[in-house]
Structures are given as structure tokens and as C-alpha cells.
């Protein structure tokens, strides 16, 4: 901030987040079932997915953890029994081949759960 680079840093960071958002959106569209709904976030760095009603993301979460993958099951964002077929993905991490491969595995797990 002292040297006036903060605005540059924020612009660069926002561009990186947007690039990550586009990559994760493309991966979800490629690897997840066709009826997966993807949020269009207005801010932040989380992507909300709504999956087929037959999917329980809490069960999927347990399977994913065993393979060292992580996401937030939708149910944790409600005090009621809602969003059981939803998940939240973080796209603020560095995009790597591992991230893409994990999304591919997760998409396969979702497809196999239907």
C-alpha cells in the first residue's frame, strides 16, 4: 500500500479468480451430469452447484474425503433439511492438473450416484 501497488495487486487477483472461475465452470460442464446447475457468483470465490435431486452431497462428501478431495455439502448452509443435492466449490486455489483431475473424479462420483 505504501508504494501504490495495492490496486495493481487487487486487479491481478480479481483476474486470477475470474480465470479460475471460468476453468472450474468448464470442468463442471464437461465432467458433471448435464442437468447440473451452476451459480453465477456476483462476488467472492465460491461456486454453488445444484445436482440431481437424487444426489445426497453429504454421502458424496464422505466418498470424496477418502480420495482426498474436498467440497462443502449444501446441507451445511441451512438449519433446515435443505440443499441436500447442492455443493459449494472454492475456486480461489491455484488451478492445477490435480484440481482438474479431482473435478473429473468428483463428476464421475456424481454420475455414479444417480
Amino acid at each position: 500500500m505504501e508504494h501504490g501497488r495495492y490496486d495493481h495487486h487487487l486487479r491481478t487477483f480479481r483476474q486470477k479468480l475470474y480465470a479460475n472461475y471460468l476453468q472450474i465452470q468448464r470442468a463442471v460442464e464437461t465432467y458433471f451430469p448435464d442437468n447440473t446447475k451452476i451459480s453465477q457468483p456476483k462476488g467472492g470465490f465460491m461456486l454453488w452447484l445444484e445436482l440431481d435431486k437424487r444426489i445426497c452431497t453429504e454421502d458424496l462428501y464422505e466418498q470424496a474425503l477418502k480420495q482426498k478431495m474436498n467440497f462443502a455439502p449444501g446441507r451445511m448452509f441451512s438449519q433446515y433439511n435443505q440443499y441436500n443435492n447442492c455443493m459449494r466449490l472454492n475456486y480461489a486455489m491455484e488451478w492445477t492438473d490435480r484440481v482438474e483431475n479431482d473435478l473429473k473424479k468428483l463428476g464421475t462420483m456424481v454420475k455414479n450416484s444417480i
Side-chain angles (χ1 to χ4, degrees), residues 28-38 50-52 107 110-111 114:
V28 169
E29 289 171 350
T30 301
Y31 303 126
F32 282 64
D34 292 337
N35 64 345
T36 301
K37 295 178 185 152
I38 306 170
E50 183 180 344
L51 307 173
D52 188 283
V110 169
K111 288 176 180 177
I114 296 176

Side-chain angles (χ1 to χ4, degrees), residues 7-23:
D7 287 336
H8 172 73
H9 165 73
L10 287 179
R11 274 192 308 279
T12 303
F13 184 60
R14 284 187 199 112
Q15 290 170 350
K16 185 65 173 167
L17 284 177
Y18 184 66
N20 286 354
Y21 160 71
L22 293 175
Q23 287 176 299

Side-chain angles (χ1 to χ4, degrees), residues 48-50 53 55-58 72-87:
W48 185 260
L49 302 182
E50 183 180 344
K53 294 283 186 198
I55 301 291
C56 175
T57 55
E58 286 180 303
R75 172 70 177 88
M76 72 186 323
F77 300 100
S78 174
Q79 65 183 9
Y80 305 105
N81 191 21
Q82 297 176 296
Y83 312 125
N84 293 318
N85 63 315
C86 298
M87 67 171 57

